[in-house]
Amino acid sequence: MRIDVVSIFPSYFDGLTLSLLGKARESGILDLRIHDLRDWTSDRHRTVDDTPYGGGAGMVMKPEPWALALDDLAAGSDRPTIIFPSPAGEVFHQTTARELSEREHLIIGCGRYEGIDERVFEYAASLGEVRLVSLGDYVLNGGEVAAMAMIEAVGRLIPGVVGNPDSLVEESHEDGLLEYPSYTKPSTWRDRAVPGVLLSGNHAAIAAWRREQQLARTESRRPDLLKD
Ligand code: ADE
């Protein structure tokens, strides 16, 4: 999978050389390219923003650098998925991550300031499928942190990125429930014993206990998930 990221703070993404995604990039499973939006400006100050029409606080990102960047990155690609992290977008879920992990080419445009000139989204729709995606109901300073979360959630679902694919199946949110609790040695630690069933060797009993735990946790921590 190829992912292009456009940002005015490309060094935010330096951490994506680490761990499983770093290995996936080295092996070529994940072709992640980070770009500086200012490379598509042509003035001496490499200007990417301007004042908003109609007045108001803050600055708006100019459309032309975005259009030039999207033209370049979408060239030769068959309708890439173009994602703009935005608190005004659809909420990103595990199902979104799974869906995006099946795409060949994602382009992620990270806005800053008060946002990107609205016409950019219309223009982008002429090049690919546009998705405005929110990490949740809170406001970040820009799209970068949201983009990193999405890249990690999507990237780890690409076949071969996580060594043992079984570990993907049993995670929180994969089956609409929270994950069951995990324990390791020692079996008693600071007077706290591991639940006896996990030491029983009875696989059916263990599976039943884990399922109960998933339901009980989801009910108490995230009852909204059970409605679905
Ligand atoms: N940019 C600013 N806030 C955001 C959020 N909650 N999700 C995605 N992108 C954002």
Side-chain angles (χ1 to χ4, degrees):
M1 171 189 271
R2 172 176 162 195
I3 305 179
D4 287 283
V5 180
V6 183
S7 162
I8 58 166
F9 294 117
S11 45
Y12 256 100
F13 299 90
D14 289 352
L16 296 178
T17 53
L18 304 171
S19 187
L20 291 179
L21 289 196
K23 278 198 202 118
R25 291 175 80 180
E26 275 172 30
S27 73
I29 299 176
L30 175 63
D31 178 8
L32 176 61
R33 309 178 192 180
I34 311 296
H35 310 273
D36 188 338
L37 178 68
R38 293 187 199 277
D39 291 345
W40 285 280
T41 57
S42 46
D43 64 309
R44 202 158 54 91
H45 300 291
R46 307 199 344 131
T47 310
V48 291
D49 61 331
D50 208 334
T51 52
Y53 276 119
M59 301 289 269
V60 175
M61 294 189 110
K62 292 160 66 67
E64 189 59 11
W66 279 108
L68 293 171
L70 294 174
D71 284 343
D72 277 355
L73 300 176
S77 191
D78 182 25
R79 287 193 70 75
T81 300
I82 306 173
I83 299 166
F84 293 99
S86 164
E90 56 171 308
V91 176
F92 185 83
H93 290 294
Q94 188 66 17
T95 48
T96 325
R98 197 153 280 290
E99 190 191 334
L100 295 175
S101 73
E102 283 155 17
R103 304 292 159 93
E104 253 168 52
H105 185 193
L106 307 180
I107 299 173
I108 308 182
C110 301
R112 281 263 144 185
Y113 312 118
E114 294 310 304
I116 301 173
D117 186 303
E118 190 69 20
R119 293 166 292 184
V120 170
F121 307 119
E122 291 163 30
Y123 181 71
S126 70
L127 302 173
E129 181 208 1
V130 174
R131 305 272 293 259
L132 268 67
V133 184
S134 171
L135 218 53
D137 293 339
Y138 43 83
V139 181
L140 305 167
N141 286 332
E144 284 78 7
V145 168
M148 288 219 282
M150 293 180 206
I151 292 166
E152 183 153 308
V154 170
R156 63 197 297 284
L157 297 177
I158 302 169
V161 171
V162 171
N164 178 0
D166 286 350
S167 60
L168 296 176
V169 177
E170 295 186 346
E171 287 168 333
S172 291
H173 303 296
E174 267 304 330
D175 57 1
L177 296 174
L178 302 184
E179 197 175 10
Y180 53 74
S182 302
Y183 302 86
T184 187
K185 292 175 255 318
S187 61
T188 299
W189 171 77
R190 299 198 180 197
D191 296 330
R192 291 163 174 82
V194 167
V197 64
L198 297 178
L199 311 176
S200 70
N202 180 338
H203 296 298
I206 292 170
W209 180 85
R210 285 180 167 164
R211 188 79 188 163
E212 266 166 39
Q213 291 290 316
Q214 282 193 284
L215 287 165
R217 285 186 149 192
T218 309
E219 171 118 64
S220 82
R221 296 179 191 172
R222 292 291 306 276
D224 56 304
L225 295 180
L226 292 178
K227 281 196 222 106
D228 300 334

